[in-house]
Structure formats: C-alpha cells, structure tokens
Amino acid sequence: MTSKQEFIEKLRNSSLRPTKQRINICEVLFNRDKTFHFTINDLFNLIKDKTGENVSLATVYNTVHAFLKKGYLKEIPINSNQTYFDTNVTDHHHFFDVKEEKLIDIKNEDVGPIEIQKSIPGKKIKSVEVLVKLED
Amino acid sequence: MTSKQEFIEKLRNSSLRPTKQRINICEVLFNRDKTFHFTINDLFNLIKDKTGENVSLATVYNTVHAFLKKGYLKEIPINSNQTYFDTNVTDHHHFFDVKEEKLIDIKNEDVGPIEIQKSIPGKKIKSVEVLVKLED
DNA sequence: CTTTAATATTATAATTATTCTAATCTCTTT
DNA sequence: AAAGAGATTAGAATAATTATAATATTAAAG
Ligand SMILES: [Mn+2]
Ligand SMILES: [Mn+2]
Ligand SMILES: [Zn+2]
Ligand SMILES: [Zn+2]
C-alpha cells in the first residue's frame, strides 16, 4: 500500500507535476501486488470505479505515455486492435490467451537465452521479446 | 509474375469470389519477389498508385482480414498504433527498426529453438514469435 | 441461355481509438 | 503575494476500425 504522499514524491522526483489526475492514476496502477496488464480503456474505467473521480480519456493517454517514457510502464505488442500496457517493467515475456484476450507473464529464465544470429549494420538491439499465443 | 487469371483461380479455390477489388489487391500484394510488410494504409495507397483504380478503405480491411483467415497473410504484433501485415506466412521472426518504423525478417534458424519452460493448464501453444527492436 | 434467389461483397456511415491544441494549472522567481 | 514560464488537462479534431444497407456474384431452375 503506497500512500498518496509517496506518489506525489515519486512524481516530483521524475519531474512530473503531481496533479490530482496523475495521483488517481498512480493509485489505480501501482497500488497492487501483482503485475497489471491493461488497455487504456481498462484503466479509464477503473479510475472511475475506484476513485469516483473523472479523468478525461485524453489525460489517461497522456499520463500513460508519460509513464512509459519514464520507464514506469511497458508497452506490450500483441496483435489486437488495442495496445496493452504492463506495470511489470522488468525484462520478461508473455503468453497471450487469444480466446480470453489476456496476457500472462513468462519470466526470462523460463525462456532461456535467445541468440539472434543476424545483425543489421549501424543498428543495435534495444530489446528482445517473445510472444507465445495460446489456444484451447 | 502471376497473371490475373491465376489470381481468379486461387480466389475461387479458396471460396472467395474473385471481384475486381480483390484481384487488384492480389496484384499489389502477391506480384512481388520479396516479403512485403505493410499497414492497411500502405496497401490502400499502393492500390491507387499501382492499379489506378479505387478500392474503399473498408474493402481493404475486409480483404486483408479474409486473406488472414485463409492463411495468405500474417499479422505482425509491434507496438505501434497500427497493425502490420506480412506476405511471408512461413514461421519467422522480426526486427523492428524503431526509427524507420520498418520490419525486417529474421529466419527461424537465425534465432534457434525457443524452449518455453512454463505452461498453462488447458491451453496449448499456437505460435511463438520473437520481436527484436533496433535502435541506432 | 435467361431469370431468380440465396449468399457474399462492397463501401458508406457509424463507431472507436488516438492525437492536437487552446485554456488552465503548477511551480519558480522575484 | 504576484507574475511569467512552462507543463498539463480535456474538448475538439483526426485517424483507425467495424457494422450494415445496397449491390454484385453465383448457383439453381426453367
Ligand atoms: Mn489501433
Ligand atoms: Mn508504413
Ligand atoms: Zn507482463
Ligand atoms: Zn516478415
């Protein structure tokens, strides 16, 4: 359980102004035990439900993108028409349950080292992510 | 170089009606030597450019999804606000050049076998795809 | 070889997703 | 405490995707 005051400090330390909207978003996102995989819309609805306050959808987009840039969230590529985000910012991989449309974490050590035997001149590897699709 | 007549046959054999629109789309998509990675919008613009004819954007969506279902195209998950598609339907992986916003194929053998040491009860693996992001 | 009817397809219109920007708020400097 | 600079919010605009009414294709009947 992180307090409102702690979120304010964390935001300030990241040179993000601690607005009412951002504090609400922090409480929904980061007051959790487990990894949280969500779409912008999931988050938007949870904010209304959990805090009772209204944050505009555009602000949810803005804030999620700000948190992404600061490294507090990760964007997860899955082939859906919606982008997913992840509060687990460590290096890891995912199952995607196609039927349930749900992401499940896979720890790095459960996949083993991935050796890419090809390289592109002038470019270096930024990240390597595995997506395992599941069916029944 | 595949002829119009061949596309008509292929469509018929897939129980897809060989409409003027679909034949145009086939010519843009499949009259190529190399793998083609594209967004719906790329394809929409190329149809106008290459065939001179107008196919509505909705029809491009419809047709791409029809071809996907038939296995003539693959959907590629990258974290962008747009979905990419691929004429290379064999099992393979990708680099994504973040700056250029371009996909590059990686052959399966250039990645080696990927052993997933975790399983979800009642679910089986449908596909395993690696996405390697590149930066300068 | 028509005509007809069932079904598939197209493309406009509607909806949903995302971004832009003018008005507002926060914070630093005085 | 007041003002100015810059950051943030959220309504409006745009872009992406889907739903459905109109049209086209095909197979069957005459
Ligand atoms: Mn999208
Ligand atoms: Mn493109
Ligand atoms: Zn995760
Ligand atoms: Zn490819």
Side-chain angles (χ1 to χ4, degrees), chain A residues 119-124:
Chain A
S119 63
I120 304 294
K123 302 281 174 179
K124 61 185 177 197

Side-chain angles (χ1 to χ4, degrees), chain A residues 80-83, chain B residues 80-83:
Chain A
S80 153
N81 52 348
Q82 270 209 276
T83 306
Chain B
S80 154
N81 53 347
Q82 269 208 278
T83 307

Side-chain angles (χ1 to χ4, degrees), chain B residues 16-17 19 21-22 56 58-59 62-63 81:
Chain B
L16 293 171
R17 292 181 179 174
T19 62
Q21 291 88 338
R22 280 176 178 166
S56 82
T59 296
N62 287 334
T63 303
N81 53 347

Side-chain angles (χ1 to χ4, degrees), chain B residues 35 37 74 76 86-88 92-94 103-106:
Chain B
T35 270
H37 297 118
K74 244 173 83 156
I76 305 299
D86 193 341
T87 56
N88 179 356
H92 68 288
H93 307 288
H94 291 94
L103 282 164
I104 302 163
D105 278 349
I106 309 176

Side-chain angles (χ1 to χ4, degrees), chain A residues 13-92:
Chain A
N13 290 338
S14 320
S15 49
L16 293 172
R17 293 182 177 173
T19 62
K20 194 159 58 81
Q21 291 88 339
R22 280 175 176 167
I23 294 161
N24 283 334
I25 292 172
C26 282
E27 292 193 341
V28 174
L29 282 182
F30 303 119
N31 258 339
R32 308 182 167 261
D33 307 322
K34 290 174 199 156
T35 270
F36 179 41
H37 297 118
F38 64 97
T39 64
I40 294 282
N41 232 267
D42 294 337
L43 181 54
F44 177 70
N45 290 129
L46 277 172
I47 293 162
K48 266 199 296 226
D49 292 354
K50 291 208 174 173
T51 73
E53 303 196 40
N54 262 86
V55 176
S56 81
L57 192 54
T59 296
V60 179
Y61 274 94
N62 286 336
T63 303
V64 165
H65 288 144
F67 287 179
L68 258 188
K69 193 160 10 175
K70 293 291 175 185
Y72 302 149
L73 290 174
K74 245 173 82 157
E75 198 174 1
I76 305 300
I78 57 157
N79 59 351
S80 153
N81 52 348
Q82 270 209 276
T83 306
Y84 278 70
F85 298 90
D86 193 341
T87 57
N88 179 355
V89 293
T90 68
D91 245 338
H92 67 289

